[in-house]
Amino acid sequence: MKRTKILLSGLLLVSTSAMMAQGARNIRINEVLTNNTASIQDDYGQCHAWIELENTSFTTYNVRGMYFTTDKSVLDSQMSVPERIKRMSVIPNGDPRTQIGGRQHLIFYCNSNPAQSKLHLSLNVPMSEPLWLGFFNGNATELIDSVSIPVLAADQSYARMTANTWSVKSAENVTPGIENFIKTDETKDAKLKREDPHGFGITLLAMGIVFFCLAVLFLFFWVFGLIMRNIEMAKKVVNTQPIKPITKTVEVTHDLAHATGNILQDGLKTKGIDKEVYIAVISMALKQYQDDVHDVESGIITIKARETGWADEGSQMTHFSKPVIPTMHNAPKIPTTPEIH
């Protein structure tokens, strides 16, 4: 159990580190100005060398705890982490501006006092000589981005043109805090070619639109076919099972129920046959109607003779002490009822 917990914790830590590293890879150095005489000023009205970071993704990332350095010796893989940190300038915590939004930029002032602001760094940026600038992750080991900057004239900047190319920009074309390309006369085709020189972006966009349209058409025809199938099924049900017999059965059942109610009410009022008998008879009638079972009558009424004893004189001569019991030979003939056909 302990081994499983340790393994899961290790996997979680590795995945989290990988996600953080992937997010840090979206931050890059975008523009650098080393000799600031008339460019932007800080909150105190002072001109400092500055570094611009850009978030190339569409999600927010916090750069606090990451490092800048101009000391190329930190590239030595044998150097310890504490020794590297001594030669770096850390981006401090506590300033919400270090949360760089998607496609946004952030300016850091160099050769300054960190006590003035979280965006002021003590990083040494020389003005009259070329320098190497490195940007490291929070572990002070992983190099996120770097650039070699030539000697720049006053208020000139060194700006990224494409993913791997840089260019010196004149003082009037410096773009701190915004994109490096601000051209009012640039056509859309030229801008697209500059931003997507290999055409991967436009290809993915076109394929995405095509597949989206196909998906919409598929959903439309699927729903349309489903509706048509249901309509056809409803027509078949109506044709094979007409509503008229069902309606007739409902009417007959309603009439029988009404008649049953009247019979029960009349029987209870007159105190005639018990209601259980009515219920039994009606249930039997409904059962026969349901099973289509009926009595077959011939239409012939038959009356057969039966001895009733109403003409027996012996039973009426009660004033004699000994009643005369007639025998079979002297008994009067009992009239019979003829059959009626």
Side-chain angles (χ1 to χ4, degrees):
M1 187 66 180
K2 291 183 179 180
R3 292 181 179 179
T4 304
K5 291 183 178 179
I6 294 173
L7 180 61
L8 291 176
S9 301
L11 291 175
L12 181 62
L13 181 61
V14 170
S15 61
T16 304
S17 301
M19 292 177 61
M20 292 180 64
Q22 184 63 32
R25 289 288 180 183
N26 296 321
I27 308 299
R28 66 182 185 181
I29 303 171
N30 191 55
E31 191 172 4
V32 181
L33 190 145
T34 58
N35 187 2
N36 185 4
T37 60
S39 184
I40 60 172
Q41 299 177 352
D42 63 5
D43 298 335
Y44 301 93
Q46 299 176 347
C47 295
H48 297 279
W50 50 264
I51 300 170
E52 180 189 58
L53 290 181
E54 179 187 15
N55 184 358
T56 60
S57 70
F58 292 93
T59 58
T60 301
Y61 190 82
N62 199 332
V63 296
R64 63 183 180 182
M66 302 178 78
Y67 296 91
F68 286 108
T69 183
T70 56
D71 191 342
K72 208 169 183 178
S73 64
V74 297
L75 296 177
D76 184 5
S77 60
Q78 303 299 323
M79 183 179 292
S80 64
V81 173
E83 186 64 28
R84 282 198 185 95
I85 293 176
K86 291 179 181 179
R87 305 183 184 195
M88 296 179 177
S89 180
V90 66
I91 300 175
N93 301 329
D95 195 318
R97 290 176 292 181
T98 58
Q99 294 260 14
I100 307 178
R103 314 297 293 184
Q104 298 299 314
H105 305 79
L106 183 62
I107 300 292
F108 291 92
Y109 299 100
C110 307
N111 302 327
S112 183
N113 184 6
Q116 292 181 341
S117 170
K118 303 293 183 180
L119 302 183
H120 285 248
L121 307 176
S122 60
L123 181 67
N124 181 27
V125 176
M127 294 185 297
S128 58
E129 61 184 58
L131 75 150
W132 175 84
L133 177 64
F135 181 57
F136 283 78
N137 205 346
N139 55 16
T141 302
E142 182 184 5
L143 179 64
I144 301 299
D145 195 13
S146 64
V147 59
S148 296
I149 305 168
V151 177
L152 299 173
D155 300 323
Q156 286 184 340
S157 70
Y158 197 59
R160 186 187 295 269
M161 298 291 105
T162 63
N164 299 315
T165 59
W166 292 71
S167 176
V168 177
K169 300 181 70 173
S170 60
E172 61 272 14
N173 292 325
V174 173
T175 54
I178 57 176
E179 291 185 3
N180 294 338
F181 296 95
I182 305 296
K183 294 182 180 180
T184 57
D185 58 343
E186 186 179 22
T187 63
K188 293 183 178 180
D189 294 339
K191 182 179 180 182
L192 180 62
K193 185 176 180 180
R194 173 175 55 79
E195 294 181 348
D196 187 21
H198 301 288
F200 295 123
I202 192 65
T203 301
L204 292 176
L205 179 62
M207 293 179 63
I209 293 174
V210 170
F211 281 110
F212 175 75
C213 294
L214 290 176
V216 171
L217 289 175
F218 170 78
L219 290 176
F220 171 77
F221 286 110
W222 180 76
V223 173
F224 181 76
L226 185 63
I227 294 174
M228 295 303 297
R229 284 196 298 270
N230 290 335
I231 293 175
E232 292 296 330
M233 186 177 296
K235 290 181 179 179
K236 290 181 180 179
V237 170
V238 171
N239 293 332
T240 57
Q241 298 181 0
I243 304 301
K244 186 175 180 181
I246 300 175
T247 306
K248 186 66 176 177
T249 303
V250 173
E251 293 177 354
V252 172
T253 306
H254 180 269
D255 293 340
L256 288 175
H258 182 68
T260 302
N262 293 335
I263 292 173
L264 288 174
Q265 186 176 4
D266 294 340
L268 292 175
K269 286 182 179 179
T270 57
K271 297 182 180 179
I273 303 175
D274 190 49
K275 65 178 181 179
E276 283 78 5
V277 178
Y278 280 109
I279 294 173
V281 172
I282 294 169
S283 300
M284 182 60 70
L286 290 174
K287 178 64 177 174
Q288 289 182 350
Y289 176 79
Q290 183 180 3
D291 297 341
D292 198 17
V293 178
H294 305 281
D295 295 335
V296 180
E297 303 292 345
S298 63
I300 301 175
I301 301 176
T302 303
I303 302 176
K304 295 182 178 181
R306 185 172 64 88
E307 296 181 359
T308 61
W310 64 275
D312 191 355
E313 297 179 355
S315 61
Q316 299 179 10
M317 299 175 65
T318 56
H319 60 280
F320 296 103
S321 59
K322 291 182 180 180
V324 179
I325 301 174
T327 59
M328 294 301 294
H329 64 277
N330 58 3
K333 294 183 179 180
I334 300 173
T336 61
T337 306
E339 293 185 1
I340 299 175
H341 296 280

